[in-house]
Amino acid sequence: MLSHKTKYALKALLYLAQQDENHISRTIEIAEGASIPKKFLEQILLDLKRGHFVGSKQGKYGGYYLLKDKETITLADIHRLFDGAIALLPCASLNFYERCSDCVSESECLLRHGLMTIRDETLKAMQGITIASLVKK
Amino acid sequence: MLSHKTKYALKALLYLAQQDENHISRTIEIAEGASIPKKFLEQILLDLKRGHFVGSKQGKYGGYYLLKDKETITLADIHRLFDGAIALLPCASLNFYERCSDCVSESECLLRHGLMTIRDETLKAMQGITIASLVKK
DNA sequence: CCTAAACTATACTAAATTTATAGAATTTAT
DNA sequence: ATAAATTCTATAAATTTAGTATAGTTTAGG
């Protein structure tokens, strides 16, 4: 399941993707437009900025705008930024690999292979969902 | 990501699936064989029993055994029993449907459709992984 | 240069969930 | 009767999540 943070991030990106080119959206505008607690959204937008998905303009008349092309921002990207690994266990993850604490022998683990198969299929599906594809729907 | 509970449940089922037909495994035996904290495993086995995946025999020489055919126990089943919904949001779930608290209009939600697509693909993949397929690997 | 309006940064808190552990009760074979 | 096992309920510790608070910085415009 997605955390609220990830869901809010996606909703915020969808909001930004629906604005006119060159439009800058204030946090409060996004918060009200997408039903997201404003203070929480501030954090999320900063994270999205650090991830180079959005850009910002500071000071009066400042705000946020989409930095990356909406065709290139995928569900997988946002999931990884906020919720981390796509794989079902860290030992089956590409970007967040970690050995299981209870693992005796990774090479002999019966679970791992199956979970890597799932990871590949889920990842492919999640990379197929972009902000643009969601807006078009 | 899977919770430890779900991971342990899968490891316990894999352990049982590898025993001889008619063999009954004590909790301590499964715990040591699959590196699972014994007391935690007790709870998990009870849950698996309530889900009709395993059967038990009480008293001396008692223990647990696979109740369902290992070909029919899927990753999706165990995920649902312990971690709940497969979908990324409750509003996109088949078995754990719930409206989002921040949802203004479900029919106009841009996220939901994409998440239902992901759910269908993930579910299909997870239903393709069975205890038997994991053991065979 | 002052002020209002906005983003930025860090710390904190409350609630929920997860990961167990403890202990007593019950069941069964011998 | 006893030992060995499951069953049940409660509790505790740790972690994560969701959200709030507060102070600081930046910028446009008068």
Side-chain angles (χ1 to χ4, degrees), chain A residues 6 14 16 38 42 51 55 77 90 99-101 104 107 116 125 128-129:
Chain A
T6 302
L14 286 171
L16 292 178
K38 193 211 167 207
E42 285 180 5
D77 295 332
R99 199 186 166 84
C100 285
S101 54
V104 177
S107 61
M116 285 169 75
I129 305 282

Side-chain angles (χ1 to χ4, degrees), chain B residues 48-67:
Chain B
L48 285 170
K49 191 193 169 187
R50 293 188 188 109
H52 307 106
F53 294 101
V54 302
S56 73
K57 187 171 179 302
Q58 287 196 138
K60 203 170 181 180
Y61 304 118
Y64 291 92
Y65 51 91
L66 227 47
L67 194 60

Side-chain angles (χ1 to χ4, degrees), chain B:
Chain B
M1 297 270 283
L2 299 183
S3 65
H4 281 201
K5 208 166 183 176
T6 302
K7 177 176 66 174
Y8 291 158
L10 289 166
K11 295 210 306 183
L13 289 169
L14 286 171
Y15 181 90
L16 292 178
Q18 289 177 101
Q19 306 312 306
D20 291 337
E21 193 90 31
N22 300 323
H23 177 71
I24 285 188
S25 307
R26 288 171 302 145
T27 303
I28 185 74
E29 179 191 329
I30 306 171
E32 288 171 359
S35 305
I36 305 169
K38 194 209 166 209
K39 274 305 220 179
F40 199 10
L41 178 58
E42 284 180 6
Q43 284 183 17
I44 293 167
L45 288 168
L46 282 174
D47 287 336
L48 285 170
K49 191 193 169 187
R50 293 188 188 109
H52 307 106
F53 294 101
V54 302
S56 73
K57 187 171 179 302
Q58 287 196 138
K60 203 170 181 180
Y61 304 118
Y64 291 92
Y65 51 91
L66 227 47
L67 194 60
K68 274 196 183 165
D69 186 343
K70 59 190 165 194
E71 309 274 350
T72 72
I73 304 176
T74 75
L75 178 55
D77 295 331
I78 306 307
H79 187 286
R80 280 180 173 143
L81 183 62
F82 292 99
D83 282 347
I86 307 261
L88 290 174
L89 285 183
C91 69
S93 172
L94 290 168
N95 292 261
F96 296 85
Y97 171 81
E98 218 172 307
R99 198 186 166 86
C100 284
S101 55
D102 58 319
C103 183
V104 176
S105 164
E106 205 167 77
S107 61
E108 293 170 47
C109 179
L110 294 177
L111 256 183
R112 196 161 176 254
H113 272 93
L115 296 187
M116 287 171 73
T117 304
I118 296 289
R119 178 205 66 202
D120 289 339
E121 299 190 39
T122 307
L123 182 55
K124 196 177 156 197
M126 288 178 96
Q127 285 174 335
I129 305 281
T130 66
I131 295 301
S133 76
L134 289 172
V135 167
K136 254 180 238 153
K137 193 56 199 58

Side-chain angles (χ1 to χ4, degrees), chain A residues 26-27 46 49-50 56 58 64:
Chain A
R26 288 173 302 146
T27 305
L46 282 175
K49 191 193 169 186
R50 292 186 189 110
S56 73
Q58 288 197 136
Y64 292 93

